Amino acid sequence: YIHIINKADMAASKGLKILVGCKRVIDYAVKVRVKPDRSGVVTEGVKHSMNPFDEIAVEEAVRMKEKKLAGEAVAISVGPPQSQETLRTALAMGIDRAIHVEIPLAQLEKLQPIHVSKLLAKVCESEKPDLVILGKQAIDDDCNQTGQMLAALLDWPQATFASKIEPSQDSKQLRVTREVDGGMETIDVSVPAVVTSDLRLNEPRYATLPNIMKAKKKPLAKMSPDQLGVDLQPRQEVISVEDPPVRKAGAKVESVEDLVGKLREKGLVK
Amino acid sequence: KLQSSISDPMTSPPPQLRSQVIALYKNLLYMGRDYPKGYAYFRDRLKSVFLKNSGVKDPDQIKVLIGRGEFVIKELEALYMLRKYRALKHRYYEKDEATTSATTSSSDKEAPTKTQ
């Protein structure tokens, strides 16, 4: 699949078309509880909201529209019926229209980034965005894979952990500053490209009630994985989900002899 | 319910103000869903504050109070943003990582408290 954008000066063109991915996850402030049967975490009746890194992605798309760098911003979410609420939040923040790829409940728990990236790739074939912005990772599974996999499937360049996105010096590419171990890296990528958002990319606006109400009028299209021809066969099986081990209290020692004595007691030293 | 506009039309505030007050109440209530101390805590205090001021008739005074309510909305937005940013920074980034100059300017504000 090849999509070539007119490499004219970005400032003069109609603006980029941006596709933003949003995931519905358990709210970041909720105290997550493991189910007694250790098959997963409790989600029934638990507050859910948009993945915080996806909020940052949505905010960036809206800001690029405000700066006239982008012409159209479309939000997409792969998930259960309630993902529509997540999309409505994106629309309330300033996204133009939304796409909901609805996943039947039975397949929801087994959904992995490999499936999501394939679904997104299929949508990119028809939507033909110039830029896809995703959150760098979801706070529920912390996979940090979907953006990278999507770029590979589309054979597009990727700029992950973005803390700044701007036109390049010659305005023909995007200059992305990335947060990497030990500092920042600035790269130029040609469009179309996949970018994943990091924490310091921007501060997302709050979707107030009046904006949520206005968002109800914006278009929201529904799609199914079958329509997109993507197989959702799970590649992984969750064996068990458990609480992290409780940290045992440490013990303070007065001298080296004490330390060696304690280590001997525990059989760690002969 | 929120404003006693049942009295004499000569001293009653204009109807647009009434709908503005109701809209403000609804917007604040919506924001209460994310309040750290819980929705019920927020809703009870919001209700009592509005009831306390429900006798105000002077349109200028009402506008001042509406302004105050809108200020609280802005404070709540800042509070929520700061809380979320700090939680994510704590969870995903090394403790003594040097903060970059990037876009942290407005996030470094002190967390505002809910005012009456």
Side-chain angles (χ1 to χ4, degrees):
Chain A
Y1 159 64
I2 303 170
H3 166 216
I4 307 199
I5 184 186
N6 176 6
K7 297 252 171 120
D9 187 356
M10 259 180 223
S13 72
K14 262 188 299 162
L16 302 169
K17 177 176 178 180
I18 307 182
L19 183 68
V20 186
C22 319
K23 185 182 180 185
R24 177 180 180 263
V25 298
I26 293 179
D27 188 80
Y28 87 97
V30 166
K31 225 175 157 70
V32 175
R33 281 179 13 248
V34 177
K35 284 198 257 194
D37 62 1
R38 307 203 312 200
S39 62
V41 296
V42 179
T43 55
E44 272 294 311
V46 171
K47 183 176 181 202
H48 284 66
S49 53
M50 194 191 300
N51 181 38
F53 292 109
D54 299 348
E55 286 178 339
I56 294 172
V58 170
E59 176 67 25
E60 193 61 19
V62 174
R63 286 195 190 187
M64 286 177 81
K65 268 191 67 189
E66 287 168 350
K67 283 190 248 180
K68 305 269 191 261
L69 268 172
E72 190 190 10
V74 184
I76 181 167
S77 187
V78 177
Q82 297 94 321
S83 290
Q84 282 197 51
E85 293 161 22
T86 310
L87 287 169
R88 194 145 288 132
T89 305
L91 292 167
M93 286 170 71
I95 297 292
D96 300 307
R97 62 183 168 87
I99 300 170
H100 176 208
V101 180
E102 191 166 339
I103 303 296
L105 234 74
Q107 295 166 307
L108 196 59
E109 275 178 10
K110 310 230 169 88
L111 201 68
Q112 290 285 309
I114 184 75
H115 307 119
V116 177
S117 54
K118 285 183 178 177
L119 289 165
L120 292 178
K122 273 290 169 166
V123 173
C124 283
E125 270 177 36
S126 48
E127 287 287 330
K128 299 194 183 10
D130 301 310
L131 179 63
V132 179
I133 313 182
L134 303 177
K136 71 167 181 175
Q137 68 198 74
I139 60 170
D140 53 5
D141 55 25
D142 285 319
C143 284
N144 195 333
Q145 297 168 6
T146 309
Q148 292 87 336
M149 284 178 170
L150 177 62
L153 287 168
L154 294 169
D155 197 25
W156 287 6
Q158 60 182 267
T160 52
F161 317 114
S163 64
K164 191 169 191 190
I165 307 173
E166 57 195 331
S168 62
Q169 207 100 42
D170 60 2
S171 292
K172 290 191 169 62
Q173 297 186 306
L174 285 175
R175 176 156 293 181
V176 182
T177 305
R178 307 177 55 226
E179 292 208 20
V180 297
D181 294 343
M184 316 258 263
E185 176 190 65
T186 306
I187 60 174
D188 282 351
V189 287
S190 56
V191 287
V194 176
V195 172
T196 69
S197 62
D198 211 321
L199 186 62
R200 283 172 274 262
L201 182 58
N202 59 48
E203 291 129 15
R205 65 199 66 191
Y206 192 87
T208 55
L209 186 61
N211 288 329
I212 294 275
M213 298 312 275
K214 276 188 244 163
K216 292 193 174 170
K217 300 199 189 101
K218 291 187 180 178
L220 197 155
K222 257 212 233 176
M223 284 185 175
S224 76
D226 291 336
Q227 276 179 281
L228 294 166
V230 174
D231 155 42
L232 297 186
Q233 269 302 309
R235 306 305 206 258
Q236 297 175 12
E237 185 196 339
V238 173
I239 308 292
S240 83
V241 177
E242 297 170 16
D243 278 304
V246 180
R247 275 184 72 186
K248 285 196 218 135
K252 276 199 172 147
V253 291
E254 297 297 309
S255 67
V256 175
E257 287 80 12
D258 270 351
L259 176 60
V260 174
K262 284 228 156 47
L263 287 172
R264 281 219 183 93
E265 269 175 48
K266 292 202 184 290
L268 295 166
V269 159
K270 289 215 182 104
Chain B
K1 208 175 18 168
L2 296 170
Q3 247 183 272
S4 41
S5 43
I6 32 162
S7 44
D8 176 7
M10 294 278 268
T11 57
S12 247
Q16 317 86 277
L17 278 184
R18 180 187 162 81
S19 55
Q20 273 180 47
V21 170
I22 293 175
L24 177 67
Y25 183 82
K26 283 186 184 166
N27 294 343
L28 279 164
L29 199 60
Y30 181 77
M31 293 195 75
R33 286 141 78 250
D34 294 323
Y35 198 68
K37 287 207 174 128
Y39 177 72
Y41 178 99
F42 185 94
R43 182 203 53 214
D44 292 346
R45 267 148 199 79
L46 178 70
K47 213 170 171 185
S48 68
V49 161
F50 269 70
L51 276 175
K52 189 181 79 170
N53 294 318
S54 61
V56 175
K57 298 265 201 307
D58 171 29
D60 290 328
Q61 207 5 35
I62 294 172
K63 282 183 192 146
V64 167
L65 290 170
I66 290 174
R68 203 181 287 176
E70 283 166 359
F71 178 72
V72 171
I73 289 181
K74 287 279 166 261
E75 284 200 312
L76 287 172
E77 286 180 16
L79 170 70
Y80 294 164
M81 187 196 290
L82 194 56
R83 267 187 96 233
K84 191 177 281 191
Y85 177 84
R86 283 184 172 162
L88 291 174
K89 182 156 173 249
H90 176 75
R91 286 177 206 176
Y92 287 98
Y93 300 87
E94 285 301 306
K95 226 185 260 193
D96 33 52
E97 169 208 48
T99 43
T100 58
S101 57
T103 52
T104 54
S105 48
S106 58
S107 313
D108 291 337
K109 278 201 301 251
E110 273 303 284
T113 50
K114 185 175 192 296
T115 54
Q116 278 293 75

